[in-house]
Amino acid sequence: MAPPQEEEKKIQLKAQCLCKSETITTSISPSSLPLRGTSCHCTSCRHLTGALRSSDAIWPSIVPRDSLKYYPFSPKTGVLFCGTCSSPMFWEDRPFPDASPEETTYRVFTGVLSKEMEEGKKPLVKWEHHMFVADTIDGGATCWLRRMGQADDIQMWMGGIGGSEEITEQKPWPAIDSLPAARGEGVKGDVKLRCHCGGVDLVLRAGEAQKEFSDFAKNKKEGETMPWFVDPVAPHKFLAVQDACDSCRIWSGGELWTWTFSFLKHLSFTSGEGLPGDTTELRKAVEEKDPRMGTLGVYASSADVQRYHCTRCSASVFYAVDSRPDLVDFAVGLLHSPDGGARAESLLSWSWGDQIGLRQDMLGTWREGLLLDAEMEAEEWRAKRGYPVRWAKVAKRKPSAGNS
């Protein structure tokens, strides 16, 4: 008689929001790892999260939803998120409206998964697909997320997985010459900032801001400097940056958060009325539920930092810090760019350096490969777009399926 096989030791998966009031765990066999992950680049997901993509993986058990807020994303799909800090935690897919929990599929936002290495340093997630890439118009974040720490390029689909045209080395998309000039003039008018549900509906007076920056450059006196977030080369576009910090990852639900910046004086309500003049007044208006603020909520993630979000759909909106009372970081994924592209290159300059900000939070974790690949691929992409190349060692790997 063959000896009984020893039962495989289970490990614990943990999903936790930024404020730690919501912690969901389940047990899984190590042989079931990595979880199968997907990145969605559709317009709706960008406006839901504020990021350039949403990222999820199948969660292997039922999610207790009593303490989580629910947002109906579509007739069969909803988002479960923390009502305090707004971290999106799970997608809930029901095959029909009255489906039981056992009949429901749950997908975890990969950004809220714990970052510790599991046994044998096996990654928790293997991303298999980028889908709805066509919605980005310009390729969005796929240009620097081709591998995400994996040996081969991830499959890319113009629409849904398997039911749309695949972007391949033989059929790359989009062509560089089809995109807005990376170093050209910026936009002349206003740009909308809107979350998925429309509860946060604001205007960035980009044309006004860029004229102000241009006038400043022409008339500045000795010793005066342009605001640090304005690109002095691509005529006064707003800089876009990426960071890998734990807080932004968890808060947005996805790896590699993308910010740009604005003075509060250049932001207004759709009525044309300006937002409060500094971050203290902004926080007061939100906490006192000023009706002009719509569904904007605020969570203080530390003593001097406030993170603003939509209380209805969970979208991340602003980051504010007390030392910069006239300025906010805002989520690139909420932009309704005049050029239609997810990267909003008619407004934003992506002339970052050779490393992603706060990268130390990913080093030594199962996300490290994603980080290092993204840095190399972003530099390759920057060279194609005509930005100065800062690395002498731009990788010579097989061609990307995107941005021919």
Side-chain angles (χ1 to χ4, degrees), residues 35 37 42 64 70 77 92 125 131 136 138 150 182 218 254 275 279 283-284 287 316 320 326 336 357:
L35 303 176
C42 78
Y70 178 82
T77 302
E92 182 182 78
V125 178
M131 64 179 184
T136 68
D138 56 20
Q150 296 157 197
K218 293 174 184 176
L275 262 64
T279 54
R283 180 175 184 175
K284 181 179 178 182
E287 291 179 337
S316 302
D326 57 347
H336 291 242

Side-chain angles (χ1 to χ4, degrees), residues 171-351:
K171 292 184 177 180
W173 181 93
I176 287 289
D177 58 12
S178 71
L179 302 175
R183 314 279 303 216
E185 293 286 342
V187 300
K188 305 299 184 186
D190 295 341
V191 178
K192 291 183 179 179
L193 263 175
R194 195 171 190 268
C195 69
H196 185 266
C197 73
V200 176
D201 194 5
L202 304 171
V203 173
L204 170 66
R205 299 196 300 276
E208 174 187 316
Q210 291 181 333
K211 183 180 185 305
E212 184 177 305
F213 300 146
S214 179
D215 290 345
F216 175 84
K218 293 174 184 176
N219 303 312
K220 69 177 181 177
K221 300 174 183 177
E222 186 177 352
E224 292 182 326
T225 58
M226 187 75 75
W228 60 267
F229 62 90
V230 180
D231 188 334
V233 179
H236 316 312
K237 289 185 179 183
F238 297 71
L239 289 173
V241 301
Q242 287 198 103
D243 78 55
C245 83
D246 289 339
S247 296
C248 290
R249 167 179 57 80
I250 297 168
W251 186 50
S252 66
E255 291 73 12
L256 300 184
W257 181 250
T258 310
W259 291 114
T260 188
F261 313 89
S262 176
F263 290 126
L264 278 168
K265 67 180 181 179
H266 293 140
L267 291 164
S268 66
F269 301 107
T270 54
S271 65
E273 182 183 3
L275 262 64
D278 63 42
T279 54
T280 300
E281 293 178 12
L282 177 66
R283 180 175 184 175
K284 181 179 178 182
V286 170
E287 291 179 337
E288 293 181 353
K289 302 191 184 302
D290 183 328
R292 297 174 302 168
M293 296 295 163
T295 56
L296 194 64
V298 61
Y299 167 67
S301 57
S302 61
D304 61 342
V305 170
Q306 302 87 48
R307 293 176 179 268
Y308 292 84
H309 56 268
C310 176
T311 57
R312 184 190 296 152
C313 71
S314 83
S316 302
V317 181
F318 295 139
Y319 172 98
V321 59
D322 290 349
S323 60
R324 304 181 322 203
D326 57 347
L327 182 74
V328 289
D329 306 15
F330 68 84
V332 172
L334 301 187
L335 284 169
H336 291 242
S337 173
D339 61 55
R343 292 195 303 268
E345 287 193 74
S346 62
L347 172 69
L348 304 181
S349 171
W350 297 83
S351 56

Side-chain angles (χ1 to χ4, degrees), residues 39-42 46 51-54 130 132-133 136-148 154 156 173-174 242 255-258 332 341-345 350 352 370 373-374 377-378 381 400 402-403:
S39 288
C40 182
H41 299 259
C42 78
R46 297 199 310 273
L52 289 184
R53 71 191 241 278
S54 68
H130 291 296
F132 292 102
V133 178
T136 68
I137 307 299
D138 56 20
T142 61
C143 306
W144 51 81
L145 295 177
R146 303 193 318 256
R147 294 191 177 172
M148 301 174 72
I154 299 167
M156 295 189 193
W173 181 93
Q242 287 198 103
E255 291 73 12
L256 300 184
W257 181 250
T258 310
V332 172
R343 292 195 303 268
E345 287 193 74
W350 297 83
W352 52 47
L370 183 156
D373 272 352
E377 290 166 9
W381 172 81
S400 164
N403 284 133

